[in-house]
Amino acid sequence: MMYSDGGKMITKPIGDTSATKRSRQMEDDLSQRGSPVPKKRKGRPPGHLMSFDRTAPNAAIAKVKYAEPIKREGPKWDPARLNSSTTFALGSRANKALGMGGTRGRIYIKHPELFKYSADSQDKHWLGEKHHMPATGGKMAYLLIEDDIRELAANDDYRDCPELRLDELRPFIVPMWMLEKMQKYMIAVRTEKE
């Protein structure tokens, strides 16, 4: 409550909170004694008190997944295969063409061995100007080689897929300056060194 003392306002605490906390703890203890069911406690489980150098007898052993290194080698990763007539497709379109449209990025997970080029801002600007992607495109834009996607589509995994729509690819040719960047990228990330 507030009281006016001349021109000053004085606040008076309504109740002492420490007394209510203590009384509540005492009530909990009393109700706990008479109850056959233990009351659930909030907070961290008692396992945090154990030493980390010992393992609990019933502790589950975590399985660690080791990813195989991505193999970027062979003819698919040969920079000489990129020339002025090589056609490319956006990764998002390739994903849809192979029937994985609902799962963004699925093609990269399922086929990590494919050559994919991450377009930088200059590349994205060109792609937007040529209407290959929206000018307000997302953060990432990957370019894949059209022949690689068509080769996958002919594979047993995709051949009989009812969602296969190769007309979604909409392939295009990139300018020489972009091809040169792609070739440099291929050389830099290749796992098979000469």
Side-chain angles (χ1 to χ4, degrees), residues 21-146:
K21 283 184 183 175
R22 262 188 259 118
S23 66
R24 204 175 290 143
Q25 284 176 342
M26 287 174 49
E27 286 174 17
D28 287 349
D29 291 343
L30 289 172
S31 66
Q32 189 69 25
R33 286 185 205 142
S35 172
V37 181
K39 191 169 185 175
K40 285 191 176 180
R41 295 179 187 264
K42 293 181 181 174
R44 203 165 174 183
H48 74 283
L49 299 173
M50 285 181 26
S51 170
F52 288 107
D53 58 339
R54 292 182 290 153
T55 55
N58 296 333
I61 298 170
K63 289 184 181 178
V64 180
K65 253 188 176 177
Y66 292 101
E68 290 283 324
I70 298 167
K71 292 183 180 177
R72 295 175 174 145
E73 52 195 42
K76 290 197 182 298
W77 283 87
D78 182 10
R81 80 183 279 225
L82 301 180
N83 57 49
S84 58
S85 63
T86 305
T87 52
F88 295 88
L90 286 174
S92 56
R93 293 203 176 274
N95 214 38
K96 287 178 191 172
L98 293 175
M100 298 183 266
T103 317
R104 189 168 58 190
R106 173 97 170 122
I107 191 170
Y108 314 124
I109 296 164
K110 200 167 180 186
H111 302 287
E113 73 285 351
L114 285 178
F115 169 73
K116 70 174 182 181
Y117 172 73
S118 178
D120 62 16
S121 57
Q122 182 186 20
D123 304 331
K124 284 192 254 184
H125 179 74
W126 182 86
L127 289 164
E129 276 184 346
K130 301 297 178 189
H131 306 289
H132 296 302
M133 69 179 278
T136 58
K139 289 183 241 174
M140 297 302 291
Y142 290 111
L143 300 180
L144 296 137
I145 300 171
E146 181 195 14

Side-chain angles (χ1 to χ4, degrees), residues 128-187:
E129 276 184 346
K130 301 297 178 189
H131 306 289
H132 296 302
M133 69 179 278
T136 58
K139 289 183 241 174
M140 297 302 291
Y142 290 111
L143 300 180
L144 296 137
I145 300 171
E146 181 195 14
D147 290 343
D148 293 350
I149 305 307
R150 293 198 181 275
E151 190 179 304
L152 275 178
N155 189 332
D156 291 338
D157 294 343
Y158 298 100
R159 189 179 308 135
D160 300 324
C161 177
E163 291 90 26
L164 187 69
R165 298 192 54 205
L166 292 177
D167 59 312
E168 283 285 337
L169 277 179
R170 299 186 196 164
F172 53 89
I173 294 172
V174 299
M176 201 60 199
W177 55 265
M178 199 184 301
L179 269 178
E180 288 168 1
K181 286 199 275 187
M182 289 180 185
Q183 289 171 332
K184 286 177 185 172
Y185 172 72
M186 262 189 183
I187 292 166

